[in-house]
Amino acid sequence: MDKIVKRNPQNVSEQGAATRGRRPPTIEPPVTVYEVDDHVVVEIEMPGVEKDKIEVTLERDELTVAGWRKPEEDANVEILHQERPYGCFRRTFVLSESLDSSKINAVYENGVLKLTLAKAEAAKPKKIAIAE
Amino acid sequence: MTLPVRGRGWNPWKELMTLQDEVNRLFSQALAPVSSTALFEGDLVPPLDVVREGDRYVVRVDLPGVKREDIELSVLNNRLFIRGTKKHETEAKEGTYHRRERVFGSFERVVEFPDPVDPEKISAKFTDGVLEITAPLREEAKPRQIAIEVK
């Protein structure tokens, strides 16, 4: 645990807004990140994005999740009320060295992308047997 | 503070008309076709779109992470009620969170269709966390083209 905290206040921390600002306007979907024993779970809400339109990329320690939801383009459709955002969903995270970047698992279900990131061996909690 | 500039002196009627416009605006907001029951910021208000595609209305609601069986749909007096609960089924324990942006809880949205729909013909599907409700117009509400015979 200590190792994770030292390197980064968060195992998975987000990149600064400065880098995001230069890109065309994107949707920042809500994210929940938590730790479970030997792994870290990242849940990202991306409703209406087809599974094959989701991209998860890892470049060095930068993990990017992106997806595209296309707007209503049919001219025969009359829009009466619109609240849902359209465009590119994107979030970028910086992974701490306490995570094993070769072990990232992604599952998309009910509009939520769930990433499971394994902790590196050194960062895993070790059980210590108490001698009798 | 400067006084508003009026064209030809003070017109009490105009003043009254402005007030009426203001009241009308307030009422039209209160009776907006789409409403939600959220009282506080942070409450769950799933965003929705309403479109008209020819003879039917299509309502799309973003419900990521909501289970099909936790959604309740009903229709009454040309109003569509979308209710449900978004539960966080997780193995996470308090104190293990690094970030908590997702909002959970119960929700209710109401859509009032401008023209009468046929409650018997309303259908719904749920794909990738998006609920799509199709409500066809009642026969008598459908726009009809009437050919006029040229003599």
Side-chain angles (χ1 to χ4, degrees):
Chain A
M1 276 295 271
D2 270 347
K3 270 203 163 175
I4 299 164
V5 177
K6 264 178 208 159
R7 165 86 206 270
N8 245 322
Q10 294 161 341
N11 260 31
V12 180
S13 66
E14 247 195 308
Q15 234 192 1
T19 28
R20 280 201 303 274
R22 263 182 266 129
R23 298 194 189 102
T26 52
I27 307 155
E28 267 194 35
V31 170
T32 284
V33 182
Y34 55 87
E35 265 180 65
V36 185
D37 303 326
D38 61 349
H39 60 274
V40 170
V41 179
V42 180
E43 296 170 350
I44 309 154
E45 293 190 352
M46 302 173 94
V49 179
E50 287 162 56
K51 200 172 161 182
D52 55 354
K53 298 250 163 47
I54 298 175
E55 257 180 37
V56 184
T57 48
L58 182 72
E59 213 185 312
R60 268 169 289 163
D61 60 346
E62 228 183 87
L63 181 75
T64 304
V65 177
W68 175 258
R69 184 155 90 170
K70 65 174 196 297
E72 190 67 70
E73 278 162 345
D74 191 342
N76 298 317
V77 171
E78 187 193 349
I79 298 164
L80 303 173
H81 188 87
Q82 198 168 47
E83 295 169 358
R84 301 165 64 224
Y86 290 94
C88 183
F89 287 81
R90 183 192 287 271
R91 292 289 293 250
T92 300
F93 308 92
V94 176
L95 305 184
S96 91
E97 61 190 3
S98 59
L99 293 170
D100 185 346
S101 56
S102 68
K103 287 177 187 160
I104 299 172
N105 183 43
V107 180
Y108 182 64
E109 197 186 12
N110 271 354
V112 180
L113 181 73
K114 188 174 172 178
L115 301 174
T116 309
L117 305 107
K119 285 183 194 170
E121 280 305 320
K124 280 184 190 171
K126 294 265 178 337
K127 273 200 177 140
I128 300 155
I130 300 162
E132 278 174 56
Chain B
M1 193 184 144
T2 49
L3 285 167
V5 179
R6 294 194 188 89
R8 287 178 208 140
W10 182 57
N11 181 351
W13 287 111
K14 203 182 168 196
E15 208 77 308
L16 206 61
M17 297 286 272
T18 316
L19 181 70
Q20 197 181 15
D21 284 349
E22 203 58 19
V23 171
N24 284 345
R25 194 184 55 82
L26 274 174
F27 269 92
S28 68
Q29 270 179 358
L31 302 171
V34 178
S35 64
S36 74
T37 50
L39 290 171
F40 305 101
E41 209 181 322
D43 276 8
L44 182 60
V45 184
L48 65 81
D49 291 352
V50 184
V51 298
R52 187 167 163 165
E53 297 178 9
D55 291 347
R56 61 193 193 164
Y57 293 108
V58 180
V59 179
R60 290 186 189 96
V61 196
D62 280 351
L63 297 170
V66 179
K67 286 205 169 124
R68 192 184 300 258
E69 58 265 33
D70 293 331
I71 306 169
E72 196 195 297
L73 279 174
S74 58
V75 69
L76 182 72
N77 297 333
N78 221 42
R79 281 190 190 144
L80 174 74
F81 294 83
I82 306 144
R83 297 187 182 101
T85 315
K86 184 175 171 184
K87 301 167 187 162
H88 196 196
E89 274 160 17
T90 168
E91 37 183 354
K93 295 178 195 84
E94 281 304 320
T96 65
Y97 285 94
H98 290 280
R99 206 169 262 266
R100 276 180 112 156
E101 296 169 1
R102 298 185 65 204
V103 179
F104 298 93
S106 56
F107 57 86
E108 185 189 62
R109 299 290 323 248
V110 184
V111 175
E112 189 171 348
F113 297 110
D115 287 321
V117 298
D118 190 341
E120 302 298 320
K121 287 185 183 155
I122 296 177
S123 62
K125 62 175 183 173
F126 190 51
T127 333
D128 291 339
V130 178
L131 178 69
E132 187 179 291
I133 303 128
T134 305
L137 287 171
R138 255 181 219 274
E139 276 306 319
E140 68 264 25
K142 285 182 186 173
R144 245 180 275 258
Q145 267 193 358
I146 301 161
I148 299 163
E149 210 183 323
V150 182
K151 282 183 185 165

